[in-house]
Amino acid sequence: MCLNPKILQSRCLAIVAAVWLSGFSYVTNAEKADREKPINLEADKVSLDDNQKVSVFEGNVILTQGTTKITAAKITVREEKDGSQKATSIGKPATFRSKRDGVDEYVDGSAERIEYDSKTDKVELFTNAWLKRDKDELRGNYVSYEGSTEFYQAIGGSTSANNSTSPGRVTVVMQPKPKVQATAPK
């Protein structure tokens, strides 16, 4: 493994950017201009295992690029054999925030664990999870979003999609959409 700090920093940022920022851009329809902005990453510790294709960022991790910000106690990124990536953010809570492209609104999310799979384009939020877009909000103990199909799911008392038997409720707040006024024919 090369310990050159510039190569180390470059590889870390490329992996994190590719996984998290592109992943959250699907979820949030993030501002396209963010992709051209510099990536800033802060952590107390960074570990890379080139053989296992695993990068770990630990200790008050803060990642920003343009309007996108991700915070966590720990972010782990794994590259699969097919080139896809899986990332896990853990925190009390782990959070993200991103401005939507072309509109003046943000998407925010929070959970004790956030997982992203680039192959399935799916974000899962586990334990005390919530996802908010502008004033619309979805809360549960488990919340997922599939970017390719725009499919949302929430489960109240369970921390996984496979175990929905424990008690709990899902909360959804949807604001009324403004009515589109028809223009009178001329």
Side-chain angles (χ1 to χ4, degrees):
M1 176 172 172
C2 180
L3 296 177
N4 181 319
K6 288 186 179 187
I7 293 173
L8 179 69
Q9 178 186 22
S10 173
R11 184 175 185 279
C12 292
L13 294 178
I15 290 172
V16 170
V19 172
W20 279 113
L21 296 176
S22 67
F24 284 115
S25 71
Y26 288 116
V27 172
T28 64
N29 195 16
E31 199 164 58
K32 290 177 183 162
D34 282 355
R35 295 178 190 141
E36 303 301 319
K37 304 245 171 102
I39 298 166
N40 296 297
L41 175 71
E42 298 175 34
D44 295 335
K45 180 181 175 184
V46 176
S47 302
L48 297 174
D49 185 337
D50 278 339
N51 289 330
Q52 298 297 316
K53 305 268 189 225
V54 176
S55 300
V56 180
F57 307 86
E58 295 180 86
N60 192 27
V61 182
I62 302 169
L63 187 150
T64 58
Q65 184 178 27
T67 65
T68 299
K69 181 176 182 179
I70 300 165
T71 64
K74 180 179 180 181
I75 296 176
T76 304
V77 181
R78 288 176 170 64
E79 185 175 333
E80 302 296 314
K81 290 180 182 179
D82 65 2
S84 65
Q85 290 114 3
K86 293 183 178 182
T88 301
S89 291
I90 296 173
K92 295 274 184 192
T95 66
F96 70 89
R97 178 181 179 110
S98 188
K99 184 178 182 302
R100 293 190 63 220
D101 192 42
V103 293
D104 190 23
E105 73 181 34
Y106 284 82
V107 174
D108 297 279
S110 174
E112 290 182 22
R113 186 173 92 235
I114 302 173
E115 295 183 3
Y116 174 69
D117 184 336
S118 70
K119 187 174 186 176
T120 60
D121 189 21
K122 185 174 185 177
V123 175
E124 296 178 285
L125 297 93
F126 297 86
T127 311
N128 299 317
W130 59 267
L131 188 62
K132 183 177 178 184
R133 188 175 96 182
D134 195 27
K135 295 179 184 176
D136 295 341
E137 192 171 321
L138 178 61
R139 289 182 177 267
N141 216 32
Y142 169 84
V143 174
S144 70
Y145 174 78
E146 295 178 35
S148 59
T149 60
E150 294 191 25
F151 176 77
Y152 293 86
Q153 180 182 27
I155 298 172
S158 174
T159 58
S160 74
N162 300 330
N163 176 12
S164 60
T165 59
S166 60
R169 306 279 290 171
V170 171
T171 304
V172 179
V173 177
M174 295 187 310
Q175 301 299 319
K177 302 296 180 209
K179 291 183 181 181
V180 177
Q181 293 183 351
T183 56
K186 293 183 181 182

